[in-house]
Amino acid sequence: MSPACYPSDLTDAQWELIEPLLPEPNTGGRPEKHPRRKIVNAILYVVRSGCPWRYLPTDLPPWQTVYWYFQRWEEAGVTEMLLTELRRSARRQAGHADEPSAGIIDSQSVKGADTVSRDSRHQRPAGHGRSDGCKPARPGRRQDHLAVDVPDHPDRYVFADQGFAGRLVDWTHDTLRTTLEIVRKPTAQRGFNVISRRWVVERTLAWLTACRRLARDYERDPAVSAAIIRWAAIAGIARRLTRGGPAQRQACYICD
């Protein structure tokens, strides 16, 4: 049993899910100096705490090493593969087929830090709605401004809220051969009320932005931001697969 040093650390059960999915070490060079579990824990520490890479605690591997793995694994498509396999496992655990028959799209706005260049900010001119920003999305490809994939499935079906209504419905049908259904709240509704199709994606965005690295945009490169989102999702699905019961709020830690 390996004790956790930080709340973001993987448990033994979670590490058993992730370890077999990581690429094999290079056999021609010197052995890896730092255990891979510590590398992954360091990445998750940055994602959950929101600290800069250079501010990693000294009991974790050096930040240069951690960031090197973060970049190399991303170039090799490791997070894409990890997320796909864990998502399929979670769906099997819930009694569903490996692949969904429908998707849900939504957007989330976050403030950009002063380190983010103007070129990488998604600034919309007047009259440019969320539905226009959705059009570059393609089936089966994750976009950094979408919460869920458009399903790569023969019977493609996507749900969205009223912000995506309008010309996007026809464009989605004609260009993507996908049915886009706008889920509207009941006309008599007053105040907050859960709408099942929309709540699924809204709670997912809430889970992701609980990771402080995602509560604000710090990344100069949108691809890095997308990788951080995937690591946050990987950690969340690993917890779901191993918790063995309903989710509970994380315990408070008091530092002396």
Side-chain angles (χ1 to χ4, degrees):
M1 177 72 69
S2 300
C5 295
Y6 301 100
S8 57
D9 284 359
L10 296 171
T11 65
D12 290 338
Q14 292 164 6
W15 177 238
E16 287 178 4
L17 291 173
I18 291 174
E19 182 184 22
L21 301 176
L22 295 176
E24 293 291 331
N26 293 328
T27 56
R30 60 184 179 182
E32 295 179 330
K33 183 177 180 180
H34 301 280
R36 290 186 163 201
R37 183 170 179 175
K38 283 195 170 185
I39 298 293
V40 174
N41 282 342
I43 293 173
L44 297 181
Y45 182 93
V46 170
V47 173
R48 190 66 177 87
S49 71
C51 77
W53 295 98
R54 294 171 184 268
Y55 284 32
L56 275 172
T58 56
D59 57 346
L60 291 171
W63 75 266
Q64 298 95 328
T65 302
V66 175
Y67 192 70
W68 185 89
Y69 275 96
F70 174 85
Q71 291 279 39
R72 297 294 85 73
W73 285 344
E74 193 58 31
E75 291 170 2
V78 172
T79 57
E80 292 273 5
M81 181 268 297
L82 271 172
L83 189 54
T84 297
E85 292 302 319
L86 293 178
R87 173 179 55 79
R88 288 172 176 169
S89 296
R91 290 183 60 83
R92 293 186 203 116
Q93 188 181 78
H96 300 305
D98 284 5
E99 299 301 331
S101 59
I104 308 176
I105 60 174
D106 203 352
S107 62
Q108 177 72 42
S109 297
V110 295
K111 291 184 177 180
D114 57 2
T115 56
V116 180
S117 66
R118 184 174 299 176
D119 293 340
S120 69
R121 296 174 188 254
H122 294 286
Q123 297 184 359
R124 298 189 180 99
H128 187 96
R130 288 192 294 170
S131 59
D132 295 309
C134 183
K135 285 184 179 180
R138 292 180 293 168
R141 292 296 300 270
R142 263 180 288 275
Q143 304 292 326
D144 56 40
H145 57 283
L146 298 181
V148 180
D149 280 346
V150 175
D152 191 9
H153 189 275
D155 300 317
R156 300 190 183 107
Y157 206 92
V158 180
F159 298 96
D161 67 18
Q162 297 171 114
F164 294 92
R167 292 175 297 176
L168 180 64
V169 176
D170 294 332
W171 181 87
T172 304
H173 179 270
D174 297 338
T175 305
L176 302 182
R177 303 184 307 283
T178 297
T179 299
L180 177 63
E181 178 179 332
I182 304 301
V183 181
R184 305 178 185 276
K185 68 179 182 180
T187 54
Q189 179 180 318
R190 294 294 182 270
F192 174 77
N193 192 25
V194 171
I195 301 175
S196 59
R197 294 296 184 185
R198 284 165 52 177
W199 180 244
V200 171
V201 69
E202 288 164 359
R203 72 180 183 185
T204 300
L205 289 169
W207 289 336
L208 291 174
T209 52
C211 295
R212 292 191 176 187
R213 188 79 179 197
L214 296 176
R216 191 177 181 94
D217 182 15
Y218 295 102
E219 314 306 336
R220 294 184 176 91
D221 183 356
V224 174
S225 181
I228 295 288
I229 292 172
R230 285 192 285 273
W231 276 111
I234 287 165
I237 297 176
R239 286 195 300 271
R240 182 189 303 181
L241 285 167
T242 58
R243 68 187 175 210
Q248 295 182 348
R249 187 175 295 275
Q250 196 173 66
C252 295
Y253 287 80
I254 300 177
C255 300
D256 296 331

